[in-house]
Amino acid sequence: MNVLLYAGSKKLVSKSGVGMARSHQEEALKQNGVVFTENPNEDYDVVHINTVFPTSYLMAKRAKREGKKVICHGHSTMEDFRNSFVGSNAMAPLFKKWIIKCYDTADLVLTPTEYSRRILKSYGLKAPILPISNGIDTDAFRKQPGQRERFRRRYGLKEGEKAVVSVGLPIERKGILDFIQMALRFPEYRFFWFGAANPLLIPKEIKRAIREAPKNVSFPGYVGREELLDVYGGADLFLFLSKEETEGIVVLEALAMEIPVLLRDIPVYDGWIHDGKEAYRRKGFDKLAQAAEEILDGKLPDLSANGRKLAESRNLKITGQRLASIYRGLYNEEVSTTKRQFAVYR
């Protein structure tokens, strides 16, 4: 059995969650010795497609014509398309129709969590839908000596000054406006938002909020893995205020790095991130602000060891094993939609 990990339009998503997920798949397959190709002109039996660009749709249609098995990875939903880029809310219903068209080319749809599976199931997709975590490289994402010192030196943090970080595209859905408001609430802390997007796609109100942000919040943009490891290793709090996710790879990264994690309480975390066990979850700005202050003041218990255990349960070795099993099952036409099999692949 040969697998095609379709790479069409790879550069367009390289700095997004979809791009990160696809990179994780490559690493997960390598760690498990699964042979794959990115060249659609080579022989293959199963194609795994992560994007919903027109080229991806055409690839799936071509594969079906040639009698190949098609997996579409459901990273995108209408719900997480809203409140993102210029015009996204107006386009959301059309986007939903388009992704249904794309996903309906598949023999099997994969999606990161049970929550996103329920959303996609409500769309009436024809194919079975299985949840499987994007996974996290827990060998790379771990706390190491020197990370904190390098981060604090690079960004000029004073002795005893607390650092609050978030990672993601600078869009409303990711909670950037509330993040800026949190910096206003706590001028004694330093806030850092890591992530970038094409300025032409960012709404005017987001650009204005960033431009007018208080002096204690910084926007360093997109940084590579090595610097990001220092960021996590030097942070006093990972504050993720996203309003909608299909999993949240950066949350797994922060948990793996054993730093305090505070999340907006949204349904995607139900059943796997428990409030007060692996991280803290709060609804509403005031409750989030209170929890942030209590974490930074040491008034709430340290959950970092449990967070690390959760990340290790979703490491890339496990993800790769499950992907290999799914590929084999689909190739041998053994995939069904029973609850038992959902539990295996979750």
Side-chain angles (χ1 to χ4, degrees):
M1 180 193 67
N2 298 317
V3 176
L4 168 62
L5 196 57
Y6 182 62
S9 306
K10 184 177 179 179
K11 289 185 179 180
L12 290 177
V13 297
S14 61
K15 296 181 180 180
S16 70
V18 174
M20 292 167 62
R22 195 192 173 287
S23 295
H24 284 190
Q25 289 163 17
E26 290 185 32
E27 183 60 31
L29 296 180
K30 289 175 183 177
Q31 287 188 16
N32 285 275
V34 178
V35 178
F36 66 93
T37 180
E38 294 183 325
N39 184 352
N41 294 318
E42 292 184 9
D43 185 43
Y44 66 93
D45 303 291
V46 177
V47 59
H48 187 165
I49 300 172
N50 282 274
T51 53
V52 291
F53 296 116
T55 52
S56 307
Y57 173 77
L58 293 174
M59 180 68 240
K61 297 294 284 185
R62 169 187 157 184
K64 295 292 282 186
R65 285 195 305 270
E66 295 175 356
K68 314 295 187 180
K69 297 295 184 179
V70 176
I71 293 175
C72 286
H73 216 117
H75 299 291
S76 301
T77 66
M78 179 184 70
E79 286 73 10
D80 75 357
F81 183 73
R82 291 194 183 108
N83 299 314
S84 52
F85 301 110
V86 173
S88 62
N89 287 359
M91 293 174 58
L94 291 175
F95 181 74
K96 178 181 178 180
K97 290 182 179 180
W98 171 250
I99 60 175
I100 290 173
K101 184 179 180 72
C102 290
Y103 296 158
D104 271 344
T105 63
D107 297 289
L108 174 67
V109 175
L110 300 181
T111 194
T113 56
E114 177 63 24
Y115 169 72
S116 55
R117 186 192 73 83
R118 291 197 303 270
I119 290 177
L120 293 179
K121 188 176 180 182
S122 74
Y123 292 177
L125 299 183
K126 299 172 185 176
I129 309 169
L130 296 181
I132 176 171
S133 173
N134 288 309
I136 176 69
D137 186 348
T138 51
D139 290 332
F141 284 87
R142 64 168 58 247
K143 187 162 286 192
Q144 300 282 3
Q147 291 169 337
R148 184 174 179 84
E149 291 73 18
R150 287 192 297 270
F151 168 69
R152 297 182 70 83
R153 184 169 60 249
R154 184 178 291 119
Y155 292 100
L157 283 151
K158 300 174 183 176
E159 182 70 26
E161 199 169 26
K162 299 292 179 67
V164 180
V165 306
S166 196
V167 180
L169 296 171
I171 55 179
E172 182 182 350
R173 175 176 65 82
K174 293 291 187 180
I176 192 167
L177 296 179
D178 281 342
F179 189 82
I180 292 171
Q181 287 300 310
M182 201 71 73
L184 282 167
R185 174 75 70 94
F186 298 109
E188 67 272 30
Y189 305 142
R190 291 280 302 278
F191 288 75
F192 299 87
W193 184 286
F194 292 88
N198 187 329
L200 296 176
L201 300 177
I202 302 299
K204 291 180 180 179
E205 59 269 25
I206 302 297
K207 291 179 180 178
R208 183 171 60 251
I210 292 173
R211 188 169 57 249
E212 297 174 357
K215 293 181 179 180
N216 64 322
V217 58
S218 302
F219 303 92
Y222 179 84
V223 298
R225 176 186 276 196
E226 291 307 312
E227 183 173 344
L228 186 60
L229 290 170
D230 287 349
V231 170
Y232 286 130
D236 297 290
L237 173 63
F238 181 74
L239 178 63
F240 196 59
L241 302 177
S242 180
K243 300 174 182 179
E244 184 69 31
E245 292 291 322
T246 54
E247 183 175 38
I249 291 176
V250 295
V251 175
L252 289 175
E253 291 176 350
L255 291 170
M257 293 294 298
E258 298 183 72
I259 59 175
V261 173
L262 175 58
L263 308 168
R264 188 190 300 275
D265 191 0
I266 55 177
V268 70
Y269 308 124
D270 291 349
W272 62 286
I273 299 182
H274 306 89
D275 177 42
K277 184 178 180 182
E278 298 91 3
Y280 291 101
R281 296 169 53 176
R282 296 289 185 273
K283 294 181 185 292
F285 183 85
D286 289 338
K287 290 183 178 179
L288 282 161
Q290 180 182 350
E293 187 173 30
E294 289 174 347
I295 291 169
L296 290 167
D297 286 347
K299 295 178 180 178
L300 287 175
D302 180 4
L303 309 177
S304 58
N306 288 339
R308 175 69 189 182
K309 287 179 182 177
L310 172 59
E312 288 175 343
S313 75
R314 295 186 171 218
N315 68 49
L316 291 185
K317 185 73 172 179
I318 293 173
T319 296
Q321 290 169 354
R322 291 175 176 170
L323 282 174
S325 178
I326 289 169
Y327 294 154
R328 287 193 299 268
L330 183 61
Y331 179 63
N332 294 319
E333 298 186 336
E334 295 171 354
V335 173
S336 73
T337 57
T338 65
K339 291 181 180 179
R340 181 183 64 82
Q341 284 172 309
F342 279 138
V344 169
Y345 296 125
R346 185 175 304 168

